[in-house]
Amino acid sequence: QVQVVESGGGLVQAGGSLNLSCTVSGLTFDDFAMGWFRQAPGKEREGVSCVSWSGLNSVYADSVKGRFTISRDNNANTLYLQMNSLKPQDTGMYYCAAAASNGISCDLEVDYMDYWGKGTLVTISS
């Protein structure tokens, strides 16, 4: 049984930082591209960042480029998202997701992902 579990969310002031983690079990982690998605109240889920199975290639949404950094540790079956210079518009539920892929890159599309976690809440106060 595949399990995807996010952690690290919380309440921080604008300009602050958070580091999200996602641990995965029940699959061969380095057979999967990984991604972070978020959903604000009343809005559709959107892609934030993804990373290839190797960790060598990543994609970022324009809204987070230069502020967020995605990384993965294939030995620990863990995905990370370092979020700096946080803004109130970064508020939302953050989801970790996995997509079966041995490609050189990744796809930041909701429909591309095979497995999802339940999310961790990030709230940025102004």
Side-chain angles (χ1 to χ4, degrees):
Q1 181 179 358
V2 176
Q3 289 192 316
V4 180
V5 181
E6 304 94 336
S7 62
L11 171 64
V12 299
Q13 289 187 329
S17 298
L18 282 173
N19 189 23
L20 305 184
S21 298
C22 168
T23 57
V24 181
S25 60
L27 52 75
T28 303
F29 190 65
D30 56 10
D31 281 345
F32 285 76
M34 298 295 299
W36 287 101
F37 296 76
R38 68 186 180 189
Q39 188 166 17
K43 295 189 176 181
E44 292 187 354
R45 193 170 299 189
E46 63 176 0
V48 174
S49 182
C50 65
V51 62
S52 62
W53 69 270
S54 65
L56 294 178
N57 294 291
S58 56
V59 174
Y60 293 91
D62 287 343
S63 59
V64 306
K65 282 180 181 176
R67 301 189 297 122
F68 291 10
T69 303
I70 193 170
S71 61
R72 63 188 293 163
D73 182 346
N74 284 353
N75 291 322
N77 286 14
T78 303
L79 177 74
Y80 303 98
L81 185 69
Q82 176 65 44
M83 305 188 295
N84 298 326
S85 302
L86 285 161
K87 305 175 181 179
Q89 52 264 46
D90 293 318
T91 292
M93 188 71 78
Y94 281 67
Y95 298 92
C96 174
S101 171
N102 58 4
I104 60 172
S105 188
C106 57
D107 196 333
L108 201 54
E109 295 290 338
V110 170
D111 292 342
Y112 176 72
M113 312 310 287
D114 298 305
Y115 300 101
W116 291 87
K118 295 182 179 180
T120 185
L121 183 62
V122 171
T123 305
I124 311 303
S125 63
S126 56

